[in-house]
Short mmCIF file of all heavy atoms in Angstrom, two decimals:
data_model
loop_
_atom_site.label_atom_id
_atom_site.label_comp_id
_atom_site.label_asym_id
_atom_site.label_seq_id
_atom_site.Cartn_x
_atom_site.Cartn_y
_atom_site.Cartn_z
N TYR A 22 15.85 -55.37 -4.14
CA TYR A 22 14.41 -55.19 -3.97
C TYR A 22 13.95 -54.16 -4.97
O TYR A 22 14.74 -53.44 -5.56
CB TYR A 22 14.08 -54.73 -2.54
CG TYR A 22 14.60 -53.36 -2.23
CD1 TYR A 22 13.79 -52.24 -2.35
CD2 TYR A 22 15.93 -53.18 -1.82
CE1 TYR A 22 14.29 -50.98 -2.07
CE2 TYR A 22 16.41 -51.92 -1.54
CZ TYR A 22 15.59 -50.83 -1.67
OH TYR A 22 16.06 -49.57 -1.40
N SER A 23 12.64 -54.10 -5.18
CA SER A 23 12.11 -53.12 -6.10
C SER A 23 11.21 -52.15 -5.34
O SER A 23 10.73 -52.45 -4.26
CB SER A 23 11.28 -53.81 -7.21
OG SER A 23 10.21 -54.54 -6.63
N VAL A 24 11.03 -50.96 -5.92
CA VAL A 24 10.18 -49.96 -5.29
C VAL A 24 9.09 -49.57 -6.27
O VAL A 24 9.26 -49.66 -7.48
CB VAL A 24 10.99 -48.72 -4.86
CG1 VAL A 24 11.93 -49.06 -3.74
CG2 VAL A 24 11.75 -48.14 -6.03
N ASN A 25 7.98 -49.14 -5.76
CA ASN A 25 6.86 -48.75 -6.60
C ASN A 25 6.34 -47.38 -6.18
O ASN A 25 6.53 -46.95 -5.06
CB ASN A 25 5.71 -49.76 -6.46
CG ASN A 25 6.14 -51.16 -6.86
OD1 ASN A 25 6.50 -51.38 -8.00
ND2 ASN A 25 6.12 -52.09 -5.92
N GLY A 26 5.69 -46.71 -7.11
CA GLY A 26 5.08 -45.43 -6.78
C GLY A 26 5.35 -44.39 -7.86
O GLY A 26 5.74 -44.70 -8.97
N ALA A 27 5.14 -43.11 -7.49
CA ALA A 27 5.30 -42.02 -8.44
C ALA A 27 6.76 -41.63 -8.56
O ALA A 27 7.51 -41.74 -7.60
CB ALA A 27 4.48 -40.81 -7.96
N PRO A 28 7.19 -41.17 -9.74
CA PRO A 28 8.58 -40.78 -9.92
C PRO A 28 8.94 -39.53 -9.13
O PRO A 28 8.08 -38.71 -8.82
CB PRO A 28 8.68 -40.52 -11.43
CG PRO A 28 7.30 -40.20 -11.85
CD PRO A 28 6.41 -41.02 -10.97
N VAL A 29 10.23 -39.40 -8.82
CA VAL A 29 10.72 -38.21 -8.14
C VAL A 29 10.60 -37.03 -9.07
O VAL A 29 10.90 -37.13 -10.26
CB VAL A 29 12.21 -38.41 -7.74
CG1 VAL A 29 12.80 -37.15 -7.17
CG2 VAL A 29 12.33 -39.55 -6.75
N ALA A 30 10.20 -35.89 -8.54
CA ALA A 30 10.06 -34.69 -9.36
C ALA A 30 11.43 -34.22 -9.85
O ALA A 30 12.43 -34.38 -9.17
CB ALA A 30 9.39 -33.58 -8.55
N ALA A 31 11.47 -33.64 -11.04
CA ALA A 31 12.71 -33.10 -11.57
C ALA A 31 13.17 -31.96 -10.68
O ALA A 31 12.36 -31.30 -10.02
CB ALA A 31 12.49 -32.60 -13.00
N PRO A 32 14.49 -31.67 -10.65
CA PRO A 32 15.01 -30.64 -9.77
C PRO A 32 14.36 -29.27 -9.94
O PRO A 32 14.23 -28.53 -8.98
CB PRO A 32 16.50 -30.58 -10.15
CG PRO A 32 16.80 -31.95 -10.67
CD PRO A 32 15.54 -32.40 -11.36
N ASP A 33 13.94 -28.93 -11.19
CA ASP A 33 13.35 -27.62 -11.40
C ASP A 33 11.82 -27.63 -11.33
O ASP A 33 11.18 -26.65 -11.65
CB ASP A 33 13.80 -27.06 -12.76
CG ASP A 33 13.43 -27.98 -13.92
OD1 ASP A 33 12.93 -29.09 -13.66
OD2 ASP A 33 13.65 -27.57 -15.08
N ALA A 34 11.24 -28.73 -10.91
CA ALA A 34 9.78 -28.81 -10.80
C ALA A 34 9.30 -28.06 -9.57
O ALA A 34 10.01 -27.95 -8.58
CB ALA A 34 9.34 -30.27 -10.73
N PRO A 35 8.08 -27.53 -9.59
CA PRO A 35 7.57 -26.76 -8.46
C PRO A 35 7.08 -27.63 -7.30
O PRO A 35 6.59 -27.11 -6.31
CB PRO A 35 6.41 -25.97 -9.08
CG PRO A 35 5.93 -26.87 -10.19
CD PRO A 35 7.17 -27.51 -10.74
N ALA A 36 7.16 -28.95 -7.45
CA ALA A 36 6.65 -29.84 -6.41
C ALA A 36 7.42 -29.65 -5.10
O ALA A 36 8.59 -29.25 -5.09
CB ALA A 36 6.76 -31.29 -6.87
N ALA A 37 6.75 -29.97 -3.99
CA ALA A 37 7.39 -29.87 -2.67
C ALA A 37 8.52 -30.88 -2.57
O ALA A 37 8.48 -31.94 -3.19
CB ALA A 37 6.35 -30.13 -1.58
N THR A 38 9.53 -30.54 -1.81
CA THR A 38 10.64 -31.46 -1.58
C THR A 38 10.76 -31.74 -0.09
O THR A 38 10.15 -31.09 0.74
CB THR A 38 11.97 -30.87 -2.09
OG1 THR A 38 12.27 -29.69 -1.33
CG2 THR A 38 11.89 -30.54 -3.56
N CYS A 39 11.57 -32.73 0.20
CA CYS A 39 11.77 -33.17 1.58
C CYS A 39 12.16 -32.03 2.52
O CYS A 39 11.73 -31.97 3.66
CB CYS A 39 12.86 -34.24 1.60
SG CYS A 39 12.32 -35.78 2.33
#
Side-chain angles (χ1 to χ4, degrees):
Y22 66 96
S23 60
V24 292
N25 300 297
V29 174
D33 58 354
T38 63
C39 237

